[in-house]
Amino acid sequence: MGDRVIFHGRKKPDSFSARLKERATPYLEPYVTAQSNNYVRLLAKAARKKRGKVSFVYGTSVADDNRFASAGLPVMSISPLGGGEHTDSEWVSKSDYLRLINILQGFISEL
């Protein structure tokens, strides 16, 4: 995960500056829970049984999980297939939602 800036269709400038906008709520630190974490391994095992494959990706949103991670708790996010997040056309696959329930049941049974 390197830092990079993409300039779409424009010549890369010789230099640029960036700053964070002041706001009432604090900016939260990014986090990564290691794939070697026992809970991550158990959840991945449960997901493989139901889905056959597991992908580890880095998200870009900020949510309550950032607060938990900053307190030193391991955080994992798993979700059903869907799209249009936070819009009036948001949707979730019912069959994948039901599969997610089975994955979580398998995970819990391994604890």
Side-chain angles (χ1 to χ4, degrees), residues 1 3 20 23 25-33 58-73 75:
M1 245 180 33
D3 294 332
L20 294 176
R23 60 186 212 180
T25 56
Y27 286 98
L28 298 173
E29 293 295 320
Y31 67 90
V32 174
T33 301
Y58 294 97
T60 58
S61 69
V62 175
D64 292 340
D65 31 341
N66 292 79
R67 288 240 182 244
F68 295 124
S70 67
L73 299 170
V75 175

Side-chain angles (χ1 to χ4, degrees), residues 4-61:
R4 68 181 192 170
V5 177
I6 300 173
F7 297 93
H8 296 281
R10 289 180 256 162
K11 182 183 173 209
K12 180 180 169 187
D14 294 329
S15 67
F16 67 94
S17 64
R19 61 186 167 86
L20 294 176
K21 178 180 171 182
E22 284 192 43
R23 60 186 212 180
T25 56
Y27 286 98
L28 298 173
E29 293 295 320
Y31 67 90
V32 174
T33 301
Q35 291 180 29
S36 60
N37 177 282
N38 193 46
Y39 293 117
V40 173
R41 290 187 347 203
L42 289 174
L43 183 57
K45 177 182 173 183
R48 275 189 203 94
K49 285 182 181 178
K50 298 295 178 185
R51 276 201 179 138
K53 69 174 186 167
V54 173
S55 299
F56 294 94
V57 298
Y58 294 97
T60 58
S61 69

Side-chain angles (χ1 to χ4, degrees), residues 47-110:
R48 275 189 203 94
K49 285 182 181 178
K50 298 295 178 185
R51 276 201 179 138
K53 69 174 186 167
V54 173
S55 299
F56 294 94
V57 298
Y58 294 97
T60 58
S61 69
V62 175
D64 292 340
D65 31 341
N66 292 79
R67 288 240 182 244
F68 295 124
S70 67
L73 299 170
V75 175
M76 303 172 295
S77 295
I78 184 171
S79 63
L81 297 174
E85 293 87 343
H86 309 295
T87 69
D88 57 359
S89 59
E90 184 171 359
W91 64 275
V92 173
S93 163
K94 181 179 178 180
S95 62
D96 207 56
Y97 173 75
L98 296 173
R99 184 179 8 233
L100 177 60
I101 291 171
N102 288 326
I103 290 169
L104 293 173
Q105 288 171 331
F107 169 69
I108 291 168
S109 71
E110 293 287 331

